[in-house]
Short mmCIF file of all heavy atoms in Angstrom, two decimals:
data_model
loop_
_atom_site.label_atom_id
_atom_site.label_comp_id
_atom_site.label_asym_id
_atom_site.label_seq_id
_atom_site.Cartn_x
_atom_site.Cartn_y
_atom_site.Cartn_z
N ILE A 59 96.65 102.45 123.03
CA ILE A 59 96.78 103.51 123.99
C ILE A 59 95.60 104.52 123.74
O ILE A 59 94.93 104.98 124.58
CB ILE A 59 98.06 104.20 123.94
CG1 ILE A 59 99.17 103.27 124.38
CG2 ILE A 59 98.09 105.48 124.67
CD1 ILE A 59 100.56 103.75 124.33
N ALA A 60 95.35 104.82 122.42
CA ALA A 60 94.30 105.78 122.09
C ALA A 60 92.88 105.24 122.50
O ALA A 60 91.94 106.02 122.99
CB ALA A 60 94.24 106.04 120.67
N LYS A 61 92.67 104.02 122.47
CA LYS A 61 91.42 103.32 122.91
C LYS A 61 91.34 103.48 124.42
O LYS A 61 90.17 103.50 124.87
CB LYS A 61 91.41 101.96 122.42
CG LYS A 61 90.09 101.22 122.53
CD LYS A 61 88.89 101.87 121.74
CE LYS A 61 87.60 101.26 121.85
NZ LYS A 61 86.64 101.85 121.02
N GLY A 62 92.39 103.34 125.18
CA GLY A 62 92.32 103.39 126.59
C GLY A 62 92.16 104.77 127.17
O GLY A 62 91.85 104.95 128.45
N ILE A 63 92.37 105.84 126.46
CA ILE A 63 92.35 107.17 127.00
C ILE A 63 90.90 107.51 127.20
O ILE A 63 90.16 107.53 126.23
CB ILE A 63 93.05 108.16 126.03
CG1 ILE A 63 94.62 107.89 126.13
CG2 ILE A 63 92.89 109.66 126.50
CD1 ILE A 63 95.47 108.71 125.14
N GLN A 64 90.45 107.90 128.36
CA GLN A 64 89.13 108.33 128.66
C GLN A 64 88.99 109.74 128.66
O GLN A 64 88.01 110.30 129.30
CB GLN A 64 88.77 107.66 129.99
CG GLN A 64 88.75 106.13 129.95
CD GLN A 64 87.99 105.45 128.80
OE1 GLN A 64 86.77 105.85 128.62
NE2 GLN A 64 88.51 104.66 128.06
N ALA A 65 89.63 110.49 127.78
CA ALA A 65 89.49 111.92 127.63
C ALA A 65 89.68 112.18 126.12
O ALA A 65 90.38 111.45 125.47
CB ALA A 65 90.33 112.81 128.54
N ASP A 66 89.08 113.41 125.69
CA ASP A 66 89.43 113.81 124.38
C ASP A 66 89.08 112.65 123.26
O ASP A 66 89.82 112.40 122.47
CB ASP A 66 90.84 114.22 124.13
CG ASP A 66 91.29 115.32 125.02
OD1 ASP A 66 90.84 116.47 124.82
OD2 ASP A 66 92.15 114.99 125.97
N ARG A 67 87.83 112.13 123.60
CA ARG A 67 87.42 111.00 122.85
C ARG A 67 87.35 111.20 121.37
O ARG A 67 87.65 110.29 120.57
CB ARG A 67 86.18 110.26 123.34
CG ARG A 67 86.27 109.59 124.69
CD ARG A 67 87.32 108.62 124.84
NE ARG A 67 87.50 107.79 123.56
CZ ARG A 67 88.60 107.09 123.22
NH1 ARG A 67 89.67 107.28 123.82
NH2 ARG A 67 88.61 106.38 122.19
N ASP A 68 86.78 112.31 120.98
CA ASP A 68 86.58 112.61 119.45
C ASP A 68 87.91 112.56 118.85
O ASP A 68 88.09 111.88 117.77
CB ASP A 68 85.89 113.91 119.30
CG ASP A 68 84.39 113.91 119.69
OD1 ASP A 68 83.89 112.77 119.83
OD2 ASP A 68 83.79 114.90 119.90
N ASP A 69 88.91 113.27 119.39
CA ASP A 69 90.35 113.34 118.79
C ASP A 69 90.88 111.86 118.79
O ASP A 69 91.60 111.47 117.81
CB ASP A 69 91.16 114.31 119.61
CG ASP A 69 90.70 115.75 119.30
OD1 ASP A 69 90.21 116.08 118.21
OD2 ASP A 69 90.93 116.62 120.19
N CYS A 70 90.73 111.16 119.96
CA CYS A 70 91.24 109.85 120.04
C CYS A 70 90.68 108.89 119.02
O CYS A 70 91.39 108.04 118.33
CB CYS A 70 91.06 109.23 121.46
SG CYS A 70 92.20 110.02 122.66
#
Side-chain angles (χ1 to χ4, degrees):
I59 293 178
K61 189 66 180 178
I63 295 175
Q64 297 304 306
D66 303 290
R67 285 313 314 160
D68 288 342
D69 291 326
C70 285

